[in-house]
Amino acid sequence: MNTGKSVLLIIGGGVAAYKALLLIRLLKTAGVGVRAVLTAGGAQFVTPLSVGALSGEKVFTDLFDLTDEAEMGHIQLSRAADLVVVAPATADLMAKMAAGLADDLATTLLLATDKDVLIAPAMNVRMWDHAATQANLATLRARGVTVVGPDEGDMACGEYGPGRLAEPEAIFAAIEAALAPRLSDLAGKRIVVTSGPTHEPIDPVRYIANRSSGKQGQAVASALAARGAEVVLVSGPVRLVAPAGVETRKIETAREMLDATLAALPADAVVCAAAVADYRVDGAAEHKLKKADGAGRSLTLVENPDILATVSALPEGQRPRLVVGFAAETQEVIAYAQAKRTRKGCDWIVANDVSQGVFGGDENAVTLIDAKGAEDWPRMGKDAVAEKLAGRIAAALA
Ligand code: C5P
């Protein structure tokens, strides 16, 4: 797929460095060139010989001598690739990147590059949680660095938590997305995206809500806009900054979301990524409800309109050509999602297992379900899921 593209892979020090070897294999198999740099720490865990054998290229280390410098200077090495990838990115490397230090080959290249940078951090959970690392992470993100992982799980040091290097497949998927040509294959198409939770009032100060962060929906809106689509984002209350290049219409309740979505039509496609409350309180109180000591209280709930089903059922001529829903399931994901696709009448369902901490997180493992079957995508960042989905939408609307 990406034949002709190449990455500069900086391998930092850490037990997870062996996964960089698997990543090199995935990249080479996909036709992506890999030129690797080993930090002094990285060279303690994997040898230049194994990295060189897999990449098929000379491996650069701090021992990089003057002959190399004459053949290929630091600046050229830092700019010859299409993307710079740091995997594993240690706490130390992240700190040096954030501070702009350049005291070895890897950090010099990172400071000298004019290419996009993608990092896959790996470190002890306490190091990851430390305010210094989190501040460095925020700095790097703000500068446009793409961050993949870390995953949560058992660590080589015996502790449990976030800090494991993301799986090579996930890093590969993020690289694939980063290397994808900037397309305008959705130019002239209008797409409506619903996102975030809804808030259903109980009284003027209380409401029923859910844990949706809106990250996946906003990522989809951004990815569609990046390909040239005219995007209307109908968003429930979220803590995110509205994405650039997208027209955002803020709503609170499911009924408002339905009205705003229908008002945004006609469109070529609608993507319903919102976590809409299935029920609202029947006759929300006009004034704040008072506590009645000792007595319980019941709320009567009535069903909300289903936006996805309503849009899917629009008559021909009004129905968007492509209607995509999301399905958050905690068990039998594919079977329930298939049933949901048929019941709601949409074309595709993006199904995910939310028992694995997807809500609020930055990663998602989804299955794309259409009339023909189901396709599992590897666990990847929500941005990468969005880009891949945008690519499929572009192909379907072409
Ligand atoms: O039935 P469930 O809520 O799991 O269906 C999820 C899909 O349906 C999502 O795409 C969601 O945005 C959409 N939905 C909707 N309106 C509702 C409930 C769900 O558009 N009232």
Side-chain angles (χ1 to χ4, degrees):
M1 46 100 215
N2 284 305
T3 318
K5 299 273 182 176
S6 71
V7 302
L8 179 71
L9 174 64
I10 294 172
I11 304 176
V15 184
Y18 74 93
K19 289 190 189 171
L21 300 178
L22 304 174
L23 176 63
I24 295 173
R25 284 201 59 175
L26 290 172
L27 289 166
K28 295 293 291 179
T29 307
V32 180
V34 181
R35 186 169 280 152
V37 173
L38 276 173
T39 65
Q44 301 287 322
F45 292 91
V46 290
T47 67
L49 197 60
S50 45
V51 174
L54 285 168
S55 67
E57 298 235 18
K58 178 177 167 59
V59 177
F60 296 86
T61 65
D62 273 321
L63 301 172
F64 176 50
D65 60 26
L66 284 176
T67 337
D68 292 325
E69 190 60 50
E71 283 169 11
M72 177 170 297
H74 289 124
I75 302 292
Q76 198 189 336
L77 185 56
S78 71
R79 298 183 181 176
D82 298 291
L83 179 73
V84 180
V85 177
V86 188
T90 59
D92 180 63
L93 264 175
M94 286 175 62
K96 285 179 171 159
M97 287 173 74
L101 294 182
D103 61 355
D104 64 2
L105 176 62
T107 49
T108 303
L109 296 177
L110 284 161
L111 198 59
T113 192
D114 61 352
K115 294 299 182 324
D116 287 345
V117 177
L118 182 152
I119 65 171
M123 65 197 71
N124 167 274
V125 54
R126 286 170 208 273
M127 292 168 79
W128 174 254
D129 284 339
H130 197 284
T133 304
Q134 290 302 311
N136 292 332
L137 177 70
T139 300
L140 296 175
R141 279 216 166 101
R143 279 185 207 147
V145 170
T146 304
V147 183
V148 187
D151 285 351
E152 190 170 318
D154 288 321
M155 317 223 12
C157 54
E159 293 193 68
Y160 182 92
R164 283 166 57 110
L165 183 68
E167 290 306 321
E169 290 77 10
I171 304 173
F172 172 74
I175 293 174
E176 200 182 10
L179 288 178
R182 299 279 169 260
L183 298 167
S184 54
D185 50 4
L186 282 171
K189 300 284 190 284
R190 182 177 166 88
I191 304 183
V192 182
V193 179
T194 73
S195 179
T198 62
H199 284 184
E200 308 296 333
I202 296 170
D203 67 18
V205 295
R206 304 179 178 97
Y207 55 82
I208 297 175
N210 60 66
R211 294 185 193 279
S212 168
S213 65
K215 283 182 184 171
Q216 185 64 79
Q218 289 211 7
V220 170
S222 294
L224 294 167
R227 286 172 173 258
E230 180 194 345
V231 179
V232 178
L233 173 68
V234 180
S235 175
V238 293
R239 294 188 193 181
L240 307 172
V241 179
V246 163
E247 181 191 335
T248 301
R249 299 185 186 172
K250 292 185 182 166
I251 54 80
E252 295 219 336
T253 68
R255 285 186 294 179
E256 288 166 3
M257 183 173 273
L258 176 67
D259 291 345
T261 303
L262 293 178
L265 299 181
D268 298 283
V270 171
V271 181
C272 290
V276 186
D278 288 325
Y279 297 97
R280 66 177 178 277
V281 177
D282 190 15
E286 202 180 318
H287 296 288
K288 186 179 169 194
L289 295 171
K290 298 283 181 226
K291 181 173 171 183
D293 278 344
R297 184 187 292 278
S298 311
L299 294 174
T300 305
L301 301 179
V302 289
E303 220 177 316
N304 264 331
D306 191 309
I307 299 148
L308 179 62
T310 306
V311 171
S312 298
L314 287 172
E316 216 182 308
Q318 287 179 41
R319 185 191 192 277
R321 271 167 64 201
L322 184 68
V323 183
V324 183
F326 274 68
E329 308 288 355
T330 56
Q331 53 175 342
E332 292 185 55
V333 178
I334 311 237
Y336 279 119
Q338 280 284 16
K340 190 164 292 177
R341 195 187 76 81
T342 322
R343 191 172 68 247
K344 301 213 181 198
C346 60
D347 303 297
W348 298 351
I349 285 269
V350 182
N352 58 1
D353 186 347
V354 288
S355 62
Q356 298 172 10
V358 166
F359 276 113
D362 290 318
E363 290 204 335
N364 212 347
V366 309
T367 302
L368 180 66
I369 292 169
D370 66 8
K372 289 190 223 110
E375 182 186 308
D376 285 328
W377 292 359
R379 190 176 180 83
M380 55 180 112
K382 288 181 174 175
D383 288 348
V385 168
E387 287 194 27
K388 199 166 161 114
L389 183 64
R392 295 300 176 89
I393 291 173
L397 295 181

